[in-house]
Amino acid sequence: MSFTKRNAVLSSARPGQTQAQAKVEKQLAPGLRPSPLDGRPTMSTGTASLDQLLAGHRGLPLGTCLLVEEQGTTDFSGILLRYYAAEGLVQGHQVHLVGFPPEWKYQLPGVAEPDAKSKTSQPSAAAPEERMKIAWRYEALGNAASAGSAARENSSGAIFCHSFDLSKRLAQSSCKGTLHPTPSTGPPTLTQGPAKPGSPLKAIIKHLKSKLESSPTNEVHRVVIPSLLSPAFYAVQCTQPSEVLQFLHGLRALLRQYNNQLTAVITLPTFLFPRSSGLVRWMELLCDGVVELIPLPATPGAAPPPSSDKKVADQPQGLLKVHSLPVYHEKGGGGAETSAWRETLSFSLSASKGLNIKPYSLPPMEDELQKEKSPASTVNRLVRISSIGGRYLVFDIEDVVHIRRNHGMCAVFTGTMPQNPTQSILLSLPIELYPEEVKLLVDKKAAFIADDATDHLSRLKTMDSPARKAYFESLNSQRKAAQRAFDDHKAQYRARHAHKVPKGKVVTNRAETEAEDSIFSSATSAPASVVAETSKLPAITPTTSNVLMPSSAISPVAPIQVPPTYPLYAFLNARGYFITPGLRFGGDYSVYPGDPFRYHAHYLANCYGWDQKIPMLDLTTSGRLGTAVKKGFLMGAEKPSEEEGAEPDTTGKNVRVFCIEWAGM
């Protein structure tokens, strides 16, 4: 095995680019560069994040067509198309506009001025403690800005993708190319007179073919087709399947014939023509790439966010689905080498940054670096852990919330839910703590262990008569409250089905006919019918005996038998990680950066002895398994302490850890 990074070319060219590609790029037309995958020339769509998404080509390959679908009545796809056209005019390409008048040129965004702050500011290196909180596989997501800036330039230093500002309009001095309007496709108006015979879409294909035949071989052309099939811009005959499919076949033939000069981008409103229709499916098959924009619904009545609020401006405004991407050749091959486009993507639009596409993630509910504000009584709460049959259980729901929120311990639910019997019993209280969790809580003096069976009986024996009577009365009141809720539910059920009861039949309410019974009432005999019906009342089993127990342990319990991995557990818990058993991933622990309800595990952790020899087979299998499941393999050991009689270590200060990343997969 070699530690040299693969796919690295030892040359003077830029990383990821061979010398042959650098020579070819010098001969390409402005605005083009070779694909890092197969060397074919590519052009920018005007959106850097979309260029990075196109099957690894870092641009739209020449000779291909991209279909952008959009749900709803928004016009994000139209803005994407304006960036595509503006980039072509700035680079000196020939832009052919379909369906819109030439005045559409004045709606194109202007070139943004370079920001001096972004050039001078350098990203500071993250502290080691902060770096450890980020998974090794996700750490590269923070370098999206640097990757985007690198994607905007060629190896020769020329700008490949410009930045545009929606608040400005494209100046004539910035346009090096020409916008060519195509024959009109709109419905006839009163001023135009009757429609001309023939298909408007076929006339567009003839127009494009004549322009391409008369242009030099090194001249680049872009075809802009906004809102295809929209009745506002296209005649009725253009929406016929025979017409539109012949048009796409003709456009595809031109793309293959002039595969070094021509590209096309088409937008389609799916709220008029849904993807479930056969026509749209055929259109997708005739296009090389298909992406879909799904705008998120806006909050009605909400004020627009301030432009200075960066967090609000970066919030996603919609989702992006990638259905297909431009391939290497007709037999396929594009997009299979990277799974980034298979993730859930989102997009956001701003006037200065343009359309930004990034992986979608839910925003945090609160600042993770700031601890939740809780009363002092809650933070200093002493948790009672019941030792029953060699297991450590917690019955109080407030204790469960406290140890999860303040100590980062999840434990395991071992109870079932009343009135909802299922085959799964891991649904409710109590929770069972692992020996490592119990040991750490006791060492922190945040909990104590009690022998529930012994303490419960001893407490009941020492209680006086009034205290015992009050305890049983509280149980009886809980039973009556449950009975009233049960009767109310049954009365509502009877009211809904009263029309089904035969006439003349009297239905009595058991709650009204029963007398209030008490376990301390006089010992008078009741009729057999009353006794039989009273026995059907639901019983209440207390979930905890805390009302009987003192705030400290009464009887001593056996010492906690912790596994050898306890030092590593204490080390990770002290640094804010949540730890669960790692058996399903072949390790001692699965390490989460936060609550497992909100995060995936970032590490597989194994603990070894300080002088223990680690087999190479363990490093190979665990390292490859961790890489396969997008997790780092973390191993640690505790240095033996020479101090005797020292206090228990709850921070793992003598523990040293390493993380292995398996490269070349």
Side-chain angles (χ1 to χ4, degrees):
M1 174 182 174
S2 175
F3 289 94
T4 304
K5 185 178 180 181
R6 297 187 180 184
N7 301 328
V9 181
L10 301 178
S11 64
S12 59
R14 286 178 175 263
Q17 185 181 42
T18 62
Q19 291 181 350
Q21 289 179 346
K23 293 180 180 179
V24 172
E25 188 170 347
K26 294 180 181 179
Q27 303 174 0
L28 294 176
L32 301 182
R33 69 180 178 191
S35 169
L37 296 178
D38 55 1
R40 71 166 69 182
T42 62
M43 67 168 56
S44 174
T45 60
T47 305
S49 56
L50 182 59
D51 293 342
Q52 297 292 326
L53 190 66
L54 295 176
H57 291 290
R58 296 174 62 187
L60 183 63
L62 295 185
T64 58
C65 173
L66 181 65
L67 176 63
V68 182
E69 302 173 346
E70 182 175 3
Q71 298 182 9
T73 57
T74 54
D75 194 29
F76 291 105
S77 59
I79 295 176
L80 194 66
L81 210 58
R82 293 186 183 97
Y83 284 133
Y84 172 73
E87 181 67 33
L89 293 177
V90 173
Q91 295 286 4
H93 300 167
Q94 305 300 315
V95 180
H96 303 272
L97 179 63
V98 176
F100 276 66
E103 290 76 16
W104 186 76
K105 175 182 178 181
Y106 301 106
Q107 301 180 9
L108 301 181
V111 180
E113 298 179 358
D115 190 2
K117 295 182 180 180
S118 61
K119 292 184 178 181
T120 57
S121 61
Q122 297 292 337
S124 58
E129 292 293 334
E130 294 297 330
R131 287 173 56 86
M132 191 174 180
K133 292 183 179 180
I134 306 175
W136 64 276
R137 182 62 65 90
Y138 308 110
E139 190 174 357
L141 295 178
N143 301 328
S146 59
S149 60
R152 294 182 180 273
E153 297 181 358
N154 291 331
S155 62
S156 59
I159 298 179
F160 177 74
C161 179
H162 291 79
S163 298
F164 296 95
D165 192 347
L166 285 175
S167 61
K168 300 179 181 179
R169 291 294 172 257
L170 188 62
Q172 188 65 29
S173 58
S174 302
C175 296
K176 300 178 182 179
T178 308
L179 181 68
H180 302 276
T182 58
S184 175
T185 59
T189 60
L190 296 177
T191 57
Q192 293 178 349
K196 297 181 180 180
S199 173
L201 297 180
K202 292 181 180 179
I204 294 174
I205 296 296
K206 293 180 180 179
H207 172 80
L208 293 176
K209 187 175 182 180
S210 62
K211 290 289 185 180
L212 290 170
E213 290 176 349
S214 60
S215 65
T217 56
N218 60 347
E219 194 172 53
V220 182
H221 297 258
R222 298 181 181 223
V223 180
V224 179
I225 308 177
S227 302
L228 183 61
L229 304 184
S230 175
F233 309 107
Y234 298 90
V236 178
Q237 61 267 29
C238 295
T239 60
Q240 299 297 325
S242 58
E243 292 289 335
V244 65
L245 293 181
Q246 288 184 17
F247 169 72
L248 292 178
H249 272 289
L251 181 61
R252 186 181 180 90
L254 292 178
L255 291 169
R256 297 302 183 265
Q257 182 179 359
Y258 300 94
N259 55 359
N260 289 325
Q261 294 181 258
L262 182 63
T263 61
V265 176
I266 307 172
T267 62
L268 177 68
T270 54
F271 71 95
L272 295 177
F273 303 91
R275 294 190 67 243
S276 58
S277 62
L279 175 60
V280 177
R281 291 290 180 161
W282 273 108
M283 294 172 62
E284 292 180 354
L285 293 176
L286 293 175
C287 296
D288 299 290
V290 180
V291 297
E292 183 179 9
L293 302 178
I294 307 175
L296 295 176
T299 304
S307 58
S308 59
D309 194 347
K310 184 178 179 180
K311 293 184 178 180
V312 176
D314 293 339
Q315 289 182 355
Q317 296 173 279
L319 301 179
L320 185 139
K321 289 185 178 180
V322 180
H323 300 295
S324 62
L325 291 176
V327 296
Y328 300 159
H329 43 72
E330 294 294 342
K331 295 182 180 180
E337 288 71 19
T338 175
S339 60
W341 63 276
R342 298 182 185 274
E343 300 178 1
T344 303
L345 302 175
S346 64
F347 66 88
S348 58
L349 179 65
S350 63
S352 58
K353 296 182 180 180
L355 194 71
N356 184 25
I357 301 172
K358 57 184 178 181
Y360 178 73
S361 60
L362 293 175
M365 298 178 62
E366 59 184 8
D367 191 2
E368 298 177 0
L369 301 179
Q370 181 181 4
K371 294 184 178 180
E372 184 177 357
K373 298 181 180 179
S374 303
S377 59
T378 304
V379 176
N380 300 327
R381 183 184 182 89
L382 192 62
V383 178
R384 176 187 176 87
I385 302 175
S386 302
S387 176
I388 303 175
R391 304 168 66 185
Y392 301 100
L393 306 176
V394 177
F395 291 87
D396 196 340
I397 184 61
E398 295 182 1
D399 289 341
V400 174
V401 174
H402 173 73
I403 62 177
R404 190 181 188 103
R405 181 174 296 172
N406 296 282
H407 298 284
M409 297 180 183
C410 303
V412 178
F413 286 97
T414 59
T416 185
M417 297 182 66
Q419 307 297 329
N420 186 25
T422 60
Q423 293 182 355
S424 176
I425 63 172
L426 308 179
L427 296 175
S428 183
L429 296 176
I431 63 170
E432 182 176 0
L433 297 174
Y434 297 103
E436 302 97 309
E437 298 172 331
V438 177
K439 173 69 173 174
L440 188 59
L441 288 174
V442 173
D443 290 346
K444 288 182 177 180
K445 298 181 180 180
F448 68 94
I449 305 175
D451 189 348
D452 241 25
T454 305
D455 292 351
H456 187 92
L457 295 177
S458 62
R459 183 62 176 170
L460 285 178
K461 291 179 181 179
T462 57
M463 291 177 63
D464 54 2
S465 179
R468 183 180 298 183
K469 183 177 180 179
Y471 173 68
F472 284 110
E473 282 290 353
S474 65
L475 299 182
N476 192 36
S477 62
Q478 295 180 30
R479 181 187 65 83
K480 291 180 179 180
Q483 180 63 58
R484 285 193 295 269
F486 178 77
D487 290 339
D488 292 342
H489 175 74
K490 194 169 184 179
Q492 295 176 3
Y493 177 82
R494 288 177 177 176
R496 290 195 303 267
H497 299 80
H499 62 281
K500 299 180 181 180
V501 179
K503 295 183 179 180
K505 184 177 180 180
V506 180
V507 180
T508 59
N509 191 352
R510 184 177 61 188
E512 297 177 356
T513 58
E514 286 184 348
E516 291 291 337
D517 60 315
S518 174
I519 59 177
F520 301 103
S521 59
S522 59
T524 57
S525 60
S529 60
V530 177
V531 174
E533 194 162 358
T534 305
S535 62
K536 298 179 182 179
L537 296 179
I540 296 297
T541 302
T543 59
T544 178
S545 300
N546 288 351
V547 293
L548 297 175
M549 307 303 172
S551 59
S552 60
I554 296 178
S555 58
V557 295
I560 307 171
Q561 300 294 332
V562 295
T565 57
Y566 171 72
L568 179 61
Y569 181 91
F571 172 84
L572 296 172
N573 182 270
R575 282 147 185 82
Y577 289 95
F578 282 65
I579 304 102
T580 62
L583 180 61
R584 58 180 174 177
F585 292 120
D588 294 333
Y589 299 113
S590 295
V591 185
Y592 296 79
D595 197 307
F597 283 150
R598 297 172 55 194
Y599 297 92
H600 289 287
H602 284 187
Y603 299 101
L604 307 179
N606 279 351
C607 186
Y608 298 93
W610 185 259
D611 297 325
Q612 179 183 354
K613 293 183 179 180
I614 304 175
M616 183 58 68
L617 184 61
D618 289 0
L619 299 180
T620 305
T621 55
S622 300
R624 290 178 65 91
L625 176 61
T627 304
V629 295
K630 297 183 179 180
K631 295 170 178 57
F633 172 54
L634 187 145
M635 56 182 179
E638 182 186 27
K639 184 178 181 180
S641 177
E642 299 178 356
E643 300 179 3
E644 296 182 358
E647 294 184 357
D649 182 17
T650 60
T651 60
K653 59 182 179 181
N654 295 327
V655 176
R656 191 176 183 185
V657 297
F658 294 92
C659 185
I660 295 179
E661 302 174 9
W662 195 270
M665 289 188 64

